[in-house]
Each structure stands twice: as C-alpha cells, then as structure tokens.
Amino acid sequence: MNERLLFSSYYLPDTRRSIAVLMLSVIIALPAVHAQDSRESGRDELFLLELYAMHGPYSEAYRIVWNMVSRSDQEELSAALTTLRRPVRGLSSHERLSLLRLLLERVHAVVTDHERVVPELEDALAPFLDAVSTYPSGLRATLLYIGMLFRSDEAWRLSLQREGHRLETLVRSTSGQIGSDEASGAVAWLRAVEALGDPVFLRITTYLELQTRHRRVVQAARDARVRLERSIDSLPGPD
C-alpha cells in the first residue's frame, strides 16, 4: 500500500490523517534528537571525568569511562584519552592506568572495526604510541596492537626501535626467562614489526628468537624473522 492510498480520505478522516502525519514526523525526527542528546551527554561526561580525575572518587570516574566505552564514539574516546593524559591529582597512578587501559582496549576494537581513524583520535593516541616503551606491560601490548593497525611513520618506527632495545636488555638481564606479561608485550612488538616489514628490526627479532625461553615469543620471533628476511630478498639488487 503506497503513502497516497494510506493517507487518503477513504482510509482516514481528516483528524486521524493529521495525527498519523504528526506521528510519522516524530518517528523520523527521533534519531536526530537522540544523536543530539548523546552528543550533549558526552560533553557533560567529559566535564565530569575531568572533575573526578582531579578530585575523585575513582568509582565515579570509572563509571563515566565505562559509559564512554559503551558508546564507542571515536571523538569521545579521544577526548577522554586527552583528559587522562593531563596531570591529575585525584587519582592514584594505578587508578589512572586502569582507566587508560579500559579506554585503549575499546580504542583497539573501534580502530579494528573502522577503515578510518578520525584525526582527533589519531592526535590523542600519538603521545602514547610515540612512547610505547614508557608504559606498563599491559598498556604496551595494547598500544602496539593499536599502532600496527594504522601507523607506519618515522615516529612509530623510532618508538618500536626503543621498545625493541628495551626488550633486548630485558631478555639479556633475565637470561631469557621473561614473565608472562612481558612475553605478551614481546609478542605484540614482534607482530608490529612483522606488519611493518622493515629490515632494521631483523637483528633484535633474531636475538629474541634465539635467546628467549618463552615458546610464544620464540614462535612470533620466527614468524617475524621470516617476514623480514623476505622483505630484504625483495629489495632491488645493485645495477
């Protein structure tokens, strides 16, 4: 039944027809109103997050971050990351890192599901990705998996090099016996350098393969080494 027939006077008298048109208009307008309400809610929650980060309590900051994570909006996640990267007085280091990990794990899921990272999110992530080696093991692994999805610039390569040197020092100082958290971070690093395919990482990759006493790391290092060696073989030879 088409619209003309549905709203014809044969089916609906004038008053009922007017009500039906009004109801249809409201239904059409609802998504736009809901979207506007969501944006307003996001701005309010960012203000509250900053307030709780400065003065506590942690439970309220966690609730706000959880709401943002549930919405998965790239711009909102970027604003939250920027807020938590500022010096905060109301949260302990452990509490702040817990909120950052929650946000970054959602960011990884969002970046994985979308073809494009919005500029705001890319800018908010840059300070974390450019200094991967300075964060605790759980955050390092998440950051490495995020970066490998959309970064290949020089700053990212330098960040990977610094993390590679840190891993090499760690493996040497522990005679290859690294813990499970560090092993997960090492695997993430190896996946990132494998995806990048830059031969500059071959030496450290080979070192991890030969010196680490952790099966997952050894296997990941072997995979990365093969990929990097192939990238060298594919380079054009001298004329």
Side-chain angles (χ1 to χ4, degrees):
M1 183 182 295
N2 61 36
E3 296 87 350
R4 187 175 300 173
L5 185 59
L6 176 63
F7 293 116
S8 69
S9 58
Y10 178 81
Y11 283 93
L12 294 174
D14 288 344
T15 54
R16 291 176 62 190
R17 183 167 67 248
S18 299
I19 292 172
V21 170
L22 178 61
M23 290 179 64
L24 184 62
S25 301
V26 170
I27 291 171
I28 293 172
L30 275 177
V33 173
H34 176 72
Q36 181 64 33
D37 288 345
S38 296
R39 287 192 291 270
E40 293 295 339
S41 172
R43 283 194 287 269
D44 290 344
E45 288 192 331
L46 282 168
F47 171 78
L48 290 173
L49 176 60
E50 187 164 2
L51 182 66
Y52 294 139
M54 295 299 293
H55 304 289
Y58 168 73
S59 59
E60 291 298 325
Y62 184 90
R63 180 180 62 81
I64 295 296
V65 169
W66 181 258
N67 289 341
M68 293 177 177
V69 163
S70 300
R71 287 192 291 268
S72 298
D73 180 81
Q74 289 197 44
E75 294 183 14
E76 194 171 270
L77 292 172
S78 69
L81 285 170
T82 301
T83 297
L84 286 176
R85 191 172 173 271
R86 300 188 192 117
V88 294
R89 295 193 298 269
L91 299 176
S92 68
S93 175
H94 175 74
E95 290 170 340
R96 177 177 166 274
L97 290 173
S98 295
L99 295 179
L100 284 174
R101 184 166 187 172
L102 186 64
L103 284 166
L104 289 169
E105 286 174 352
R106 174 53 56 180
V107 165
H108 177 257
V110 170
V111 173
T112 302
D113 290 342
H114 289 75
E115 293 182 359
R116 190 176 73 89
V117 179
V118 300
E120 295 88 348
L121 182 56
E122 187 169 350
D123 289 343
L125 286 170
F128 297 97
L129 296 175
D130 293 349
V132 166
S133 61
T134 64
Y135 290 94
S137 55
L139 285 180
R140 278 201 307 272
T142 304
L143 287 167
L144 287 162
Y145 283 124
I146 291 173
M148 67 180 287
L149 292 173
F150 73 99
R151 289 282 297 269
S152 60
D153 54 279
E154 187 60 26
W156 175 239
R157 292 167 188 262
L158 290 173
S159 184
L160 289 178
Q161 284 182 312
R162 287 191 292 269
E163 174 59 5
H165 291 310
R166 190 195 67 82
L167 285 170
E168 183 180 15
T169 300
L170 175 68
V171 169
R172 183 179 295 111
S173 66
T174 60
S175 300
Q177 302 290 344
I178 60 176
S180 58
D181 283 348
E182 286 290 354
S184 296
V187 170
W189 183 84
L190 289 161
R191 297 282 184 251
V193 300
E194 180 183 357
L196 207 56
D198 191 331
V200 72
F201 299 108
L202 181 59
R203 186 191 64 79
I204 297 178
T205 297
T206 303
Y207 181 85
L208 294 179
E209 180 185 1
L210 296 175
Q211 301 299 326
T212 308
R213 301 293 181 261
H214 195 288
R215 186 172 60 183
R216 285 181 59 230
V217 177
V218 173
Q219 184 59 56
R222 184 177 297 120
D223 294 342
R225 175 180 55 78
V226 170
R227 166 74 172 84
L228 296 175
E229 287 176 343
R230 286 175 180 168
S231 69
I232 294 175
D233 292 340
S234 64
L235 293 174
D239 293 334

